[in-house]
Amino acid sequence: MIEMKEVYKTYSNGVLAVNGINISIHPGEFVYVVGPSGAGKSTFIKMMYREEKPTKGSIIINNMNLAEIKERNVPYLRRSIGVVFQDFKLLEKLTVYENIAFALEVIGEQPKNIKKKVLDVLDLVQLKHKARHFPNELSGGEQQRVSIARSIVNNPAVVIADEPTGNLDPDTSWGIMNIFEEINNRGTTLVMATHNKEIVNTMKKRVIAIEEGQIVRDEARGEYGTYD
Ligand code: ADP
Ligand code: ADP
């Protein structure tokens, strides 16, 4: 489902951020990506949704080779991958409902299907009662739940999250993790970069550790390690 072969990424300033990564992630897996700051975790994750292109190597996701995909086909890729960010990236001028509906409108979903799909995902993240609110009227944890709802409303095979609990307190973070677990239990593959040691050590999922652009550890029921 997700396969990287001999993947390298050198930024235009000469920094080698990813230095020869090989990995296979299978449908339905839940994978934590850990490592120190500057290790290359974000770069690794950004290449999975084609925010960054690899300098060398192949990345196959849902049978699409990201290294070869044409710019005009990137929207098709984005339909099959949901992305969740540390800073939520909600549209401030749209309500909660509209933020999620927008993700369906841009891919041309039929208007008759939009309301049901939006309300279904709002139900899953327990925020139906905030549908008419604006992002700045919500707590950080609620905003992240909206952003998770938006990431899954297209029913993607894969959800990728980069430090989704990085701005949240521990209790709120656990609420967010429970939602990700529920999404994974429904069959969605999840890849998440995180600095949350307690969560990684409690959940006992696959852990990939990256240091200096390389995978230094890949364990089926892994631990966080000794990073800050
Ligand atoms: P992490 O997510 O583990 O903190 P990153 O992937 O963000 O690591 O960064 C890996 C390395 O690449 C770091 O040295 C960082 O400074 C560098 N880097 C990240 N993004 C860019 C960029 N857009 N341009 C140049 N260098 C970058
Ligand atoms: P239920 O049938 O479960 O009560 P509703 O249809 O009343 O669900 O909608 C739940 C929430 O979503 C309400 O706050 C409602 O106002 C809001 N909502 C429903 N449809 C829209 C829409 N088209 N635009 C904006 N908000 C909507």
Side-chain angles (χ1 to χ4, degrees), residues 97 115 119 128-129 131-132:
Y97 181 96
K115 181 172 178 182
L119 294 179
K128 245 180 163 180
H129 59 294
R132 292 181 187 281

Side-chain angles (χ1 to χ4, degrees), residues 37-87:
S37 288
K41 302 182 296 297
S42 281
T43 305
F44 171 73
I45 289 230
K46 282 177 180 163
M47 288 192 293
M48 285 184 190
Y49 59 95
R50 194 42 159 67
E51 178 68 20
E52 294 289 352
K53 278 192 208 180
T55 314
K56 216 164 81 181
S58 75
I59 304 178
I60 306 216
I61 297 195
N62 302 333
N63 299 317
M64 287 176 278
N65 186 338
L66 271 56
E68 286 169 6
I69 196 170
K70 296 262 190 311
E71 230 34 71
R72 66 170 185 275
N73 289 329
V74 169
Y76 291 98
L77 170 77
R78 299 265 165 87
R79 277 177 214 195
S80 57
I81 301 177
V83 187
V84 177
F85 304 94
Q86 178 170 2
D87 60 357

Side-chain angles (χ1 to χ4, degrees), residues 4 6-22 33-47 52-56 59 162 208-216:
M4 293 197 181
E6 287 301 307
V7 170
Y8 293 80
K9 173 67 184 182
T10 305
Y11 284 109
S12 53
N13 61 356
V15 171
L16 176 60
V18 165
N19 185 10
I21 281 189
N22 293 287
V33 180
V34 304
S37 288
K41 302 182 296 297
S42 281
T43 305
F44 171 73
I45 289 230
K46 282 177 180 163
M47 288 192 293
E52 294 289 352
K53 278 192 208 180
T55 314
K56 216 164 81 181
I59 304 178
D162 197 351
I208 295 171
I210 298 183
E211 291 178 27
E212 297 183 348
Q214 297 186 315
I215 293 177
V216 295

